[in-house]
Amino acid sequence: MNLDLTVRLTLLGLLGLVLGSFANWAIYRWAFFRAPVSPWLEPPKGHEQRSWVARLPVVGWWTRAAEVDAQLDAARARLTLMGYEVPKDWRPRLPFWFRPMLIELGMAFVVPWLYWFETEAGGLLPQGIQVQAVILQHQGWFHWLYMGHLVLLLAMVVATFIDFDEQLIPDVITIPVTLLAMVLGACSLHTFLPCPVVSNGVMSIVPTTLGQPGGWSEMWQDPLGLGIGCFLWTGWCFALSNRRIITRQGWGKVLPFFVAIMRRDPMSKWLLLIWIVGMVFVGAIWQTGGTAWQGLATALMGMAIGGGTIWAVRIVAGLAMGEEAMGFGDVTLMAMVGGFVGWQATGAAFFIAPLTSIFIVLLSFLLTGQRMTPFGPYLCAGTIVTILYWPVIWTEAILPALLLGPLFLTIMLVALLAMGILLGIWRMIKTRLFA
């Protein structure tokens, strides 16, 4: 912070190049179908080993034009396994290196721009108080915010492009970043978005924690609050488990079958360890109390509302349509987002996500010719829009909705039911018309 702003932005631009390069590494490395064009993977047969130049951001992608045929073979194999009919002469509309190069260039621009927007311009403050005195007063807070948003942005970039390629979001992205969100929330309330609060005619800026608007509830400081926190953590761990319910030998055998499945699943041991450490962490932070517990409880509730909303939509839409409506990766993705931005902003991002779909689908079709677009990129785009336009969204949308109190929850449940009914009607129409 003591460096000149120009120097800081330049260093952050270089950091953006490195983060963009890491994003490309993760996109190719963590994909289920690994394409051979990544500079960090073994080159296709018949091609020479890649030099150090191939690993440089941006310019390295120009050195692998000879690998186009190998990339096309990998792309055809992925699309065929996903159920597409791919002509033998099919070629993508853009060279394979164009997207990763744009990712690295984009991160080189976005990383310093986001820093300027959040810490220097006060872009997350209401428009009337975006003045230098207020920005300087909260600059330490804004640096915490920027750090959290940078981690979230990087995770969403990796998740978005893997979802574009394979219609899935690997847990290796969402689980570690969700854990990090819990730790950051317990470290500081300043990892959450700001919101204006008026008391005795004086406006102040406070973090958008669990109880906003209205303040921190006494209930969360009681043992009941600890119980809710442990319940939310257990629910997230259960959501990550192998949840197959086998009832063919009666409901009395459901639990033994579930335990047997969990014992055979190699990930269960790691998940059990995460659950135990998390329960100890939740209990220790609750015992500490103060802002640490307030921050962790906010992150836990954001995780629960973000993941729970998508999970509920997935269940209702799946029952109505008779098929899987969205992948479970979307559930873990929004749980991750909720851990960083809290439940209020997560709810707004969910409603904004469909509005971004028109632009994303059109852009994807123009660039790649692909008509099918997964829901994960919409959720990420909705999250970005929510953060960038947070002051307006809080004042014009979230605050009026929350002031409805219990009526707001009723409206949400009715909307979920209406969605299920409409999808069920569409299923019947589709069955009759296209049988």
Side-chain angles (χ1 to χ4, degrees):
M1 292 173 62
N2 295 327
L3 295 174
D4 182 74
L5 178 60
T6 304
V7 177
R8 276 181 279 166
L9 294 178
T10 302
L11 292 175
L12 287 171
L14 295 175
L15 175 63
L17 283 175
V18 174
L19 293 179
S21 185
F22 170 80
N24 283 320
W25 172 84
I27 290 167
Y28 288 108
R29 187 74 180 180
W30 295 340
F32 189 79
F33 302 104
R34 295 183 181 180
V37 296
S38 169
W40 301 275
L41 298 178
E42 287 296 320
K45 294 181 179 180
H47 292 271
E48 298 179 357
Q49 292 292 324
R50 300 183 178 104
S51 65
W52 63 270
V53 178
R55 291 174 169 79
L56 293 177
V58 182
V59 297
W61 292 99
W62 291 79
T63 65
R64 290 188 294 283
E67 300 178 11
V68 171
D69 292 336
Q71 166 63 7
L72 289 178
D73 292 339
R76 289 191 190 97
R78 288 200 305 273
L79 291 173
T80 301
L81 287 173
M82 289 162 54
Y84 294 102
E85 294 183 5
V86 185
K88 293 183 178 180
D89 59 346
W90 174 83
R91 298 182 67 85
R93 298 189 179 188
L94 294 173
F96 73 88
W97 46 262
F98 188 74
R99 189 185 78 179
M101 188 181 68
L102 283 185
I103 290 174
E104 292 171 359
L105 287 174
M107 291 293 286
F109 169 78
V110 170
V111 168
W113 179 87
L114 186 64
Y115 176 85
W116 170 85
F117 176 79
E118 293 193 353
T119 67
E120 299 294 325
L124 299 179
L125 293 172
Q127 192 168 6
I129 58 173
Q130 290 178 355
V131 295
Q132 196 65 22
V134 177
I135 295 172
L136 290 174
Q137 180 184 357
H138 298 95
Q139 202 157 53
W141 174 2
F142 295 158
H143 278 77
W144 271 98
L145 264 177
Y146 172 73
M147 179 177 65
H149 291 168
L150 190 59
V151 173
L152 181 60
L153 174 66
L154 180 61
M156 289 194 299
V157 168
V158 177
T160 291
F161 288 102
I162 292 181
D163 208 10
F164 269 133
D165 291 342
E166 302 184 347
Q167 280 73 58
L168 60 87
I169 299 175
D171 288 341
V172 70
I173 302 169
T174 54
I175 292 178
V177 180
T178 303
L179 297 177
L180 179 59
M182 299 299 110
V183 174
L184 289 176
C187 289
S188 175
L189 293 179
H190 292 157
T191 57
F192 301 107
L193 292 160
C195 69
V197 173
V198 178
S199 178
N200 298 324
V202 178
M203 178 184 289
S204 58
I205 304 299
V206 299
T208 310
T209 52
L210 176 64
Q212 294 298 339
W216 176 247
S217 173
E218 294 289 337
M219 176 192 71
W220 285 88
Q221 303 176 39
D222 298 332
L224 177 60
L226 173 62
I228 295 174
C230 292
F231 173 76
L232 296 179
W233 179 253
T234 302
W236 181 71
C237 292
F238 173 75
L240 298 175
S241 67
N242 191 330
R243 302 177 311 283
R244 282 188 296 165
I245 305 299
I246 300 175
T247 60
R248 62 174 176 262
Q249 294 188 17
W251 287 96
K253 294 290 186 178
V254 168
L255 183 58
F257 276 132
F258 177 77
V259 172
I261 292 172
M262 292 292 291
R263 291 180 63 181
R264 294 180 182 180
D265 189 344
M267 286 299 298
S268 295
K269 296 179 181 178
W270 291 105
L271 191 57
L272 179 62
L273 178 62
I274 291 174
W275 177 73
I276 294 173
V277 173
M279 292 290 280
V280 173
F281 182 70
V282 170
I285 298 300
W286 176 81
Q287 190 69 34
T288 301
T291 57
W293 173 237
Q294 188 176 357
L296 178 58
T298 299
L300 284 169
M301 183 58 74
M303 176 190 71
I305 295 296
T309 301
I310 303 296
W311 201 352
V313 171
R314 182 176 186 264
I315 292 173
V316 172
L319 291 174
M321 299 175 65
E323 59 186 19
E324 187 176 273
M326 60 179 66
F328 203 81
D330 299 324
V331 177
T332 59
L333 175 69
M334 283 308 284
M336 176 189 76
V337 170
F340 279 94
V341 301
W343 71 270
Q344 301 93 331
T346 306
F350 171 72
F351 284 103
I352 293 173
L355 303 178
T356 67
S357 62
I358 298 175
F359 172 76
I360 295 175
V361 170
L362 181 61
L363 184 63
S364 176
F365 176 72
L366 292 176
L367 293 179
T368 66
Q370 183 176 338
R371 291 182 174 86
M372 182 180 177
T373 304
F375 197 56
Y378 306 156
L379 296 172
C380 293
T383 301
I384 293 172
V385 171
T386 300
I387 292 174
L388 295 183
Y389 293 92
W390 173 246
V392 177
I393 290 173
W394 171 262
T395 305
E396 302 298 332
I398 297 178
L399 193 57
L402 295 180
L403 293 178
L404 294 174
L407 182 60
F408 175 67
L409 179 60
T410 304
I411 293 173
M412 294 291 293
L413 293 175
V414 171
L416 185 63
L417 178 62
M419 182 199 71
I421 294 173
L422 290 174
L423 288 176
I425 294 173
W426 168 243
R427 177 188 177 186
M428 290 191 305
I429 294 173
K430 186 171 65 171
T431 302
R432 291 180 179 274
L433 291 178
F434 306 109

